[in-house]
Amino acid sequence: MTRFDNLLLRDLAHALQLEWLETDGLGGFAMGTVVGANTRRYHGLLVAATQPPVGRRVLVAKVEDRLQTGASLCDLSCNVYRDAVHPNGHERQREFRLDPWPVFTWSDCGCTLQKSIFMPYKLGITVIRYDLLQAPESVWLHARPLLAGRDMHHLQLANNELNDLVSMPLHTAVIQPYDPPSKMSLYFPEGDFRLDSLWYYNFRYFREEESGLDYLEDLYSPGEISWLMREGDTRWLVLGTQTPSEFDGEQLMVDERRRRNAILSSFGEDRIAGRLALAADQFIVDRTVSGQPSKTIIAGYPWFGDWGRDTMIALFGLTLTTGRYADCRAMLHTFVSGMRNGLVPNLFAEGNGDAWYNTVDATLWLFTAIKQYVKASKDLDLVRELWPALKTSLEAHIAGTDFNIHMTEDGLLHAGDETTQLTWMDAKVEDWVVTPRHGKAVEINGLWYNALKIGEYFAKKLDDAEAATRYGRFARRTCVGFQKFWSPEMGYCHDVLRDEEADECLRPNQLIACALPYGLLTLDQRRSIVQKVSEQLLVPYGLRTLACCHDGYCPVYAGDRWARDAAYHQGTVWPWLLGPYLNTYFDVMGATEENRRRVRALVQPLVDHLDQAGLGSISEIFDANEPFAPHGCIAQAWSVGEFLRCWVQYKLGELS
């Protein structure tokens, strides 16, 4: 259990760096800091997926709480405004803990109040429970909801367009401040609602300010909810897009605790694996495909949607390692059903827009993901169902498809041009491609070889002899062509081959090629790569994206969009890359107890990170130099998925 006491909470600068996350399995979430102050535009108690898993709206940004004993008022909330911190509820806060959801405890005015926040699975609501643990007499609890009603990527300023009409069925307030997706419901059994229609101005979101974005917001409050409470009393507040027809808070809490405890205990005494499995659960969400319920993966919270590449890389750890085979199967169907010209979507669009297909690796990762699924589940029926689409995809890559993706005479796969960015190193600002990797990229061709070999393997399983012969022949050509990447002088692979040029930068991408099921390099070559990468790219939180000896190395991810994207793949550390690194390391060095203990010690800072930044999860990226500050999303699917997979696969929990 993660727990912080009053000493830490009074250190506001530190406390504001610690964020919690609740998710609902539909794409919606709640998120904030351990002292309740919002520091991002994405913070909110109800960020609802109005078109699951997308169309996310920040409906209820927060709820201000205060206790009244007689004429005395005790403010429990904390806000960072443009020019002030007010109120200072963090000074009264005795404790914050995850148990397993956020629980806040305040003590003042002779009273102790506990506030719990959780999202029941697949109900699309946020439930807030107030428990008055101690009170010398009857007290009033006042809760003021602050509303936004906006798309989660934008900010709200005070305006005259907001509709302040409130419908008030029994113990309920319904308000639609803007368009229909902004409609929300506040359900407060045993409480009274006093209308007053107020704007609160200039909330300062310093996380946006650090990134050079708009960072001031105004929030609207339609009024205040009040409950009379005595010691031992419990009160409930439910936030949703509609009023629950039935509500039993105690049972919802029992059911949700049971569900999460089952996930936590699924790995027995290995509590780290259990915590990672809980984190994994947050990314797996529903998506409707062709009118049928299916599954997908949210790439990262708070701002990412479901990306093809991220899903294919993360699903081994998120689903197969946790035994969620049905979810994995559904995800593979989700993306294959969206295939166009042999490519799976890079990103499903918000709302009803067209998907984006600007990726070369998502489709190639799909083949590896299906192979992993079949190996774990023995479900060859899935391959039979998908085989026509898989053959179509391989043929499209051979003949040529969108984004100048095509196989060349040497069997290697070429993708893109100087205007595109199709690999995972995809930072692009307007017309500036930060890390140009068009041409023949090393990991893309490792993935291409594996796609051909997997195609050959599946063709044999399905008695498609013609396809097996064809893909086997192309795979042999690709294997020979891949040797062009190897540099005996450098002792590692070129990152990209382009015409007569060869990119000599030491990057981690070659490890992806090394770590795939079908290898292309000799043992000595892989051992040399591991040595070079260990010396120049490996840090406790993952791998640097560029060795510091090369021009353009940028160790700190900070500043405006241009500065951040300039560093994104030019040194910045990515935790998910530990996956291919550890696969290759144990392959060439052996998974001996000594080597496993060495790795266990190496990743301890990443284990400690579960109680830092995004509590219970793993961040997207870290700075390349000490102190390796975390950045980006506070919870990233492939960071969690690959670490969980390696932790379980190499039995690191046994060495704790």
Side-chain angles (χ1 to χ4, degrees):
M1 179 175 65
T2 300
R3 179 185 177 277
F4 302 109
D5 61 17
N6 178 257
L7 184 63
L8 182 143
L9 298 170
R10 291 175 67 90
D11 181 356
L12 190 59
H14 185 191
L16 291 177
Q17 304 293 328
L18 303 173
E19 300 173 72
W20 55 266
L21 173 69
E22 282 284 297
T23 62
D24 63 5
L26 301 172
F29 62 91
M31 182 180 176
T33 65
V34 297
V35 291
N38 290 354
T39 61
R40 301 182 189 268
R41 66 182 64 191
Y42 301 99
H43 282 169
L45 294 182
L46 179 63
V47 185
T50 60
Q51 295 177 288
V54 293
R56 288 171 288 185
R57 294 287 190 100
V58 180
L59 299 181
V60 182
K62 65 177 308 183
V63 173
E64 300 280 85
D65 303 309
R66 57 181 181 154
L67 285 175
Q68 180 180 352
T69 57
S72 299
L73 286 172
C74 300
D75 287 309
L76 307 180
S77 300
C78 177
N79 295 308
V80 178
Y81 289 99
R82 180 174 58 187
D83 301 314
V85 174
H86 178 81
N88 296 303
H90 64 290
E91 296 180 353
R92 299 184 173 95
Q93 191 174 345
R94 188 174 74 189
E95 181 184 82
F96 173 90
R97 68 182 190 273
L98 290 181
D99 186 25
W101 39 70
V103 180
F104 302 77
T105 305
W106 297 271
S107 292
D108 201 3
C109 305
C111 301
T112 300
L113 182 75
Q114 181 175 280
K115 177 180 181 179
S116 305
I117 302 171
F118 71 102
M119 299 190 90
Y121 194 52
K122 292 191 179 180
L123 293 184
I125 62 174
T126 300
V127 178
I128 303 175
R129 170 175 172 154
Y130 296 98
D131 291 288
L132 189 60
L133 303 180
Q134 181 180 355
E137 57 184 299
S138 297
V139 301
W140 285 97
L141 169 63
H142 305 293
R144 176 177 290 277
L146 300 180
L147 314 181
R150 57 172 171 80
D151 176 272
M152 71 172 184
H153 299 299
H154 300 102
L155 293 176
Q156 173 185 242
L157 297 178
N159 61 86
N160 294 323
E161 285 72 38
L162 182 140
N163 175 15
D164 62 0
L165 180 65
V166 180
S167 173
M168 298 192 64
L170 183 63
H171 299 308
T172 306
V174 180
I175 182 170
Q176 181 183 310
Y178 302 109
D179 56 349
S182 73
K183 184 178 179 180
M184 67 196 82
S185 171
L186 315 173
Y187 176 58
F188 42 91
E190 303 181 72
D192 295 315
F193 196 100
R194 179 177 59 86
L195 294 170
D196 56 16
S197 189
L198 300 175
W199 281 98
Y200 285 68
Y201 300 95
N202 294 320
F203 289 88
R204 177 188 175 194
Y205 302 149
F206 74 83
R207 293 287 194 174
E208 318 303 324
E209 185 178 9
E210 291 171 348
S211 300
L213 303 173
D214 294 341
Y215 61 90
L216 295 177
E217 176 161 50
D218 305 329
L219 297 174
Y220 174 75
S221 177
E224 188 172 65
I225 304 162
S226 298
W227 296 273
L228 183 63
M229 299 182 70
R230 296 175 178 83
E231 183 176 305
D233 282 351
T234 295
R235 297 292 183 264
W236 302 89
L237 173 58
V238 183
L239 316 174
T241 54
Q242 54 187 340
T243 305
S245 56
E246 296 181 7
F247 177 73
D248 184 339
E250 293 285 354
Q251 191 61 50
L252 285 175
M253 184 170 273
V254 167
D255 291 345
E256 185 60 20
R257 187 179 295 276
R258 182 183 296 118
R259 189 187 77 86
R260 298 194 200 188
N261 283 344
I263 295 172
L264 183 64
S265 61
S266 59
F267 291 98
E269 297 300 316
D270 189 343
R271 303 296 287 178
I272 301 303
R275 292 186 69 186
L276 290 168
L278 270 178
D281 177 67
Q282 295 185 317
F283 301 103
I284 300 171
V285 301
D286 288 355
R287 173 176 275 283
T288 299
V289 178
S290 301
Q292 298 298 315
S294 192
K295 291 286 184 178
T296 189
I297 287 175
I298 294 295
Y301 292 99
W303 51 76
F304 284 131
D306 45 342
W307 291 72
R309 175 191 302 121
D310 299 60
T311 296
M312 298 307 144
I313 293 172
L315 63 75
F316 191 147
L318 300 188
T319 63
L320 300 183
T321 302
T322 57
R324 300 175 72 152
Y325 295 160
D327 288 342
C328 183
R329 194 183 206 279
M331 291 170 191
L332 295 171
H333 265 294
T334 294
F335 282 88
V336 171
S337 68
M339 189 177 285
R340 188 191 73 183
N341 297 335
L343 302 177
V344 299
N346 185 36
L347 173 66
F348 285 107
E350 294 280 338
N352 299 316
D354 293 334
W356 299 0
Y357 291 85
N358 55 323
T359 172
V360 61
D361 47 355
T363 308
L364 303 179
W365 276 111
L366 169 73
F367 284 83
T368 298
I370 295 174
K371 180 69 158 52
Q372 292 167 335
Y373 168 78
V374 171
K375 182 179 179 181
S377 68
K378 314 303 180 189
D379 177 14
L380 197 61
D381 286 341
L382 177 70
V383 180
R384 292 190 181 93
E385 295 167 17
L386 302 184
W387 184 234
L390 297 180
K391 287 177 65 176
T392 297
S393 178
L394 288 173
E395 295 300 330
H397 284 75
I398 292 168
T401 186
D402 299 344
F403 305 105
N404 198 21
I405 298 171
H406 64 278
M407 188 180 73
T408 55
E409 286 297 318
D410 55 8
L412 298 180
L413 198 68
H414 178 285
D417 57 35
E418 62 277 358
T419 68
T420 59
Q421 196 69 314
L422 305 177
T423 75
W424 83 274
M425 288 189 165
D426 57 357
K428 183 179 179 182
V429 186
E430 297 179 6
D431 294 330
W432 177 37
V433 176
V434 183
T435 47
R437 303 189 72 237
H438 59 284
K440 303 170 183 178
V442 63
E443 84 281 8
I444 299 306
N445 279 281
L447 287 162
W448 171 234
Y449 176 71
N450 272 261
L452 288 168
K453 291 294 291 182
I454 291 167
E456 178 189 19
Y457 172 80
F458 286 154
K460 290 178 179 178
K461 287 287 186 180
L462 300 178
D463 297 321
D464 189 340
E466 181 180 354
T469 300
R470 177 172 171 80
Y471 300 142
R473 183 175 70 251
F474 284 130
R476 289 189 291 275
R477 187 189 303 179
T478 303
C479 185
V480 173
F482 190 86
Q483 298 309 310
K484 295 179 181 180
F485 285 100
W486 178 253
S487 169
E489 297 78 19
M490 297 188 305
Y492 59 86
C493 288
H494 296 288
D495 192 57
V496 180
L497 302 177
R498 188 180 305 117
D499 298 327
E500 301 302 318
E501 301 177 16
D503 186 344
E504 298 182 353
C505 289
L506 176 58
R507 293 188 183 274
N509 301 303
Q510 58 200 299
L511 283 170
I512 298 172
C514 292
L516 292 166
Y518 296 95
L520 286 156
L521 297 170
T522 68
L523 178 61
D524 286 342
Q525 288 172 329
R526 284 176 283 141
R527 185 175 285 123
S528 177
I529 289 171
V530 167
Q531 179 182 349
K532 296 290 185 181
V533 168
S534 298
E535 291 172 352
Q536 300 190 51
L537 300 182
L538 180 66
V539 303
Y541 295 95
L543 297 183
R544 295 185 177 108
T545 41
L546 180 66
C548 58
C549 58
H550 295 300
D551 292 340
Y553 175 73
C554 188
V556 178
Y557 181 86
D560 61 17
R561 181 186 174 195
W562 287 79
R564 286 179 286 118
D565 280 349
Y568 206 36
H569 301 298
Q570 292 290 87
T572 295
V573 170
W574 292 73
W576 82 267
L577 292 169
L578 274 174
Y581 172 80
L582 292 179
N583 281 5
T584 310
Y585 173 82
F586 285 121
D587 178 45
V588 303
M589 303 300 293
T592 64
E593 182 172 344
E594 180 182 359
N595 286 335
R596 289 167 56 234
R597 288 193 179 279
R598 184 177 293 115
V599 167
R600 177 64 183 84
L602 169 72
V603 301
Q604 182 57 43
L606 204 54
V607 173
D608 296 339
H609 179 68
L610 293 173
D611 291 322
Q612 304 161 358
L615 303 177
S617 198
I618 300 178
S619 296
E620 177 186 5
I621 53 176
F622 294 79
D623 283 340
N625 289 353
E626 292 188 275
F628 306 114
H631 298 286
C633 286
I634 65 162
Q636 190 78 1
W638 57 13
S639 298
V640 171
E642 279 296 87
F643 190 44
L644 173 57
R645 178 186 65 79
C646 290
W647 185 271
V648 173
Q649 181 174 335
Y650 300 113
K651 301 178 180 178
L652 300 181
E654 296 178 359
L655 307 174
S656 300

